[in-house]
Amino acid sequence: MGPAGSCCGSPDANRRFHRSPFHADIFRSFSWSANICGRKKWLFFPPGQEEALRDRHGGLPYDVTSPALLDSHLYPRRGLCSPALELTQEAGEMVFVPSGWHHQVHNLEDTISINHNWVNGCNLANMWHFLQQELRAVQQEVSQWKETMPDWHRHCQVIMRSCTGINFEEFYHFLKVIAERRLLLLAEGTDSGAMEGGAGSGLGPHQAAFDVSRITEVLASVVAHPDFQKVDTGMFSPRPEELLQQLEEVVASTASL
Ligand SMILES: O=C(O)CCC(=O)C(=O)O
Ligand SMILES: [Fe+2]
């Protein structure tokens, strides 16, 4: 909810009502945003373009329309960025934000909107890629203590969790919960054709099989990641390697779906 004129460029209004500086959505999720009333101007940049908008210290701008970006000493790669994709969202209209697209939003009128974010089989790999990037950024930031801290890797996971909201262990748990639901749904389906209203609440066998194949790819990468290998998975049930093997078997058997 925000008054006319609020966006990244009017910090006072943002603090009280509305704040959407230049960003990509949490975990590189998809989002939709529906305008109940009012109008908003959106500026979009396809994934990767934000690299050209970084300042010389590697930081992203708060407001991509700020005159500060014309300073080529501070923003040396600004000229390499293509112009923003611009759109105006009217009352009653809904905008879909693709995974990993950076954007910023400006209220042209007093505006109320509702939005929702989600991850599914189509952007799960983007989420995993993002988490790896976040961990690398943390590790770089605290690299000077690597030799003197016995628990350095564990602390990096703690810092990552506090900055990003999730660590590698929780990401595994997330994959596990979804994988088990999809496996149950596929098993029920082969049983009696009882897919409708089953454990997946309306998901069909094709989507369940698709999700299982995407989760399998991502989990294989998680299990092979040197930092995940440092996580104590002794108490996990199932063990990540066992879940991966089970998923790989199901992927092989549902390949014909
Ligand atoms: O409406 C806004 O100010 C921000 C919406 C947004 O960033 C989104 O839906 O991803
Ligand atoms: Fe957003």
Side-chain angles (χ1 to χ4, degrees), residues 1-7 10 13 17-18 39 106-111:
M1 175 154 67
S6 62
C7 78
S10 54
F17 302 106
H18 174 92
R39 301 167 74 224
H106 177 102
N107 285 329
L108 299 169
E109 296 171 4
D110 295 353
T111 301

Side-chain angles (χ1 to χ4, degrees), residues 1 3 6-7 10-20 62:
M1 175 154 67
S6 62
C7 78
S10 54
D12 282 348
N14 291 334
R15 225 164 273 137
R16 281 165 49 220
F17 302 106
H18 174 92
R19 191 185 158 96
S20 52
Y62 191 77

Side-chain angles (χ1 to χ4, degrees), residues 65-82:
T65 65
S66 158
L69 273 86
L70 299 173
D71 178 347
S72 60
H73 182 64
L74 188 55
Y75 290 93
R77 285 175 296 167
R78 171 72 187 92
L80 301 172
C81 187
S82 52

Side-chain angles (χ1 to χ4, degrees), residues 196-216:
E196 246 21 80
S201 60
L203 285 190
H206 294 285
Q207 190 178 336
F210 172 78
D211 286 353
V212 165
S213 90
R214 290 299 175 95
I215 293 169
T216 305

Side-chain angles (χ1 to χ4, degrees), residues 16 23 48 65 77 116 118-119 124 128 130 136 152 156 170 178 192 210 213 221 227 236 253:
R16 281 165 49 220
H23 69 281
T65 65
R77 285 175 296 167
H116 182 72
W118 73 101
V119 172
L124 181 64
W128 170 230
F130 168 72
R136 272 197 299 273
W152 186 80
C156 288
E170 289 164 319
I178 307 295
S192 59
F210 172 78
S213 90
S221 171
D227 285 279
F236 291 10
S253 71

Side-chain angles (χ1 to χ4, degrees), residues 94-138:
M94 189 186 258
V95 169
F96 169 68
V97 183
S99 173
W101 283 56
H102 277 69
H103 50 282
Q104 82 180 43
V105 190
H106 177 102
N107 285 329
L108 299 169
E109 296 171 4
D110 295 353
T111 301
I112 298 174
S113 63
I114 298 177
N115 75 349
H116 182 72
N117 289 73
W118 73 101
V119 172
N120 64 19
C122 295
N123 61 353
L124 181 64
N126 295 0
M127 178 176 179
W128 170 230
H129 181 75
F130 168 72
L131 294 178
Q132 291 172 83
Q133 257 182 351
E134 289 290 289
L135 182 64
R136 272 197 299 273
V138 167

Side-chain angles (χ1 to χ4, degrees), residues 172-173 176 179-180 219 222-223 228-229 231-247:
Y172 169 71
H173 189 75
K176 187 197 92 156
E180 287 180 338
L219 183 59
V222 171
V223 165
F228 186 71
Q229 288 172 357
V231 174
D232 180 9
T233 59
M235 300 294 279
F236 291 10
S237 170
R239 302 287 303 278
E241 299 77 11
E242 288 164 7
L243 178 61
L244 179 58
Q245 196 184 345
Q246 190 188 358
L247 287 167

